[in-house]
């Protein structure tokens, strides 16, 4: 029996605020992304930049295994051989469902376990940035503690 070898891409989608003429840039509450929207945008990016041949190589194995709307963190699974096509397509994406995002590939791994560990580590870094921006004291308890626990459990529960 032959095992399918995959690559796991950990991607953070950074929202680009829309410029408002005559005002300083203000972040408006946007609708949350879904994993289906990310998959559709990734499919369109592969087809646009690599054509039907690229989609034929990547399409059968491409899945979005995890997405967190709170941190915009996503885990994408793709076959090992064409993973560079998927990686390049993620990097070349400019918008998801009409909203502008900058995709940042945080980590690429060969196992889901390493992708999970990197996702949990990155979630902690994102929450630390949120707290630093809010200038909260170190011992302050907020809803992010609960989020970190639930997201860690959810990420660790992912199966290949």
């Amino acid at each position: 029996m032959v095992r399918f070898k995959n690559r796991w891409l950990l991607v953070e989608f950074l929202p680009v605020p829309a410029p408002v003429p005559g005002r300083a840039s203000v972040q408006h509450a946007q609708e949350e992304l879904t994993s289906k929207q990310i998959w559709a945008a990734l499919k369109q990016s592969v087809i646009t930049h690599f054509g039907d041949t690229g989609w034929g190589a990547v399409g059968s194995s491409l899945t979005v295994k995890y997405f967190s709307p709170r941190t915009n963190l996503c885990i994408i699974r793709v076959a090992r051989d064409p993973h560079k096509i998927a990686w390049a397509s993620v990097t070349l994406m400019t918008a998801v469902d009409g909203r502008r995002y900058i995709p940042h590939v945080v980590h690429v791994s060969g196992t889901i376990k390493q992708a999970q560990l990197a996702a949990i580590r990155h979630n902690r870094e994102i929450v630390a940035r949120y707290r630093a921006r809010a200038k909260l004291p170190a011992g302050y308890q907020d809803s992010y503690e609960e989020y970190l626990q639930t997201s860690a459990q959810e990420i660790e529960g992912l199966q290949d």
Side-chain angles (χ1 to χ4, degrees):
M1 187 167 157
V2 177
R3 187 174 70 125
F4 292 108
K5 297 189 178 182
N6 298 311
R7 288 290 180 253
W8 300 84
L9 305 174
L10 180 63
V11 182
E12 179 182 15
F13 289 94
L14 304 169
V16 176
V20 179
R23 284 197 215 164
S25 146
V26 177
Q27 288 240 358
H28 294 284
Q30 295 181 347
E31 294 178 27
E32 292 182 349
L33 282 177
T34 64
S35 57
K36 288 182 181 183
Q37 291 171 333
I38 292 172
W39 186 87
L42 187 53
K43 175 183 177 183
Q44 190 58 43
S45 179
V46 170
I47 291 171
T48 300
H49 297 102
F50 297 98
D52 291 335
T53 305
W55 179 245
V58 172
S60 63
S61 65
L62 186 70
T63 56
V64 176
K65 292 298 272 187
Y66 170 78
F67 177 70
S68 168
R70 184 176 272 184
T71 58
N72 287 339
L73 199 63
C74 177
I75 297 177
I76 300 170
R77 183 186 75 185
V78 66
R80 182 178 68 177
D81 292 335
H83 85 279
K84 289 185 179 181
I85 294 172
W87 188 349
S89 296
V90 166
T91 304
L92 293 170
M93 285 173 52
T94 57
V96 177
D97 200 35
R99 293 170 296 213
R100 294 184 45 89
Y101 287 92
I102 299 172
H104 173 229
V105 178
V106 177
H107 185 81
V108 179
S109 67
T111 64
I112 190 170
K113 185 64 178 172
Q114 291 303 313
Q116 289 169 332
L117 294 174
I120 292 168
R121 205 171 34 248
H122 193 71
N123 268 345
R124 292 185 193 284
E125 291 172 10
I126 291 171
V127 168
R129 274 189 247 149
Y130 287 160
R131 288 178 174 160
R133 197 176 304 151
K135 297 180 180 163
L136 297 174
Y140 184 77
Q141 292 291 326
D142 55 7
S143 64
Y144 287 124
E145 283 300 322
E146 182 181 328
Y147 168 73
L148 285 173
Q149 291 174 352
T150 58
S151 70
Q153 290 172 351
E154 188 177 331
I155 291 170
E156 288 172 352
L158 293 177
Q159 297 293 319
D160 189 14

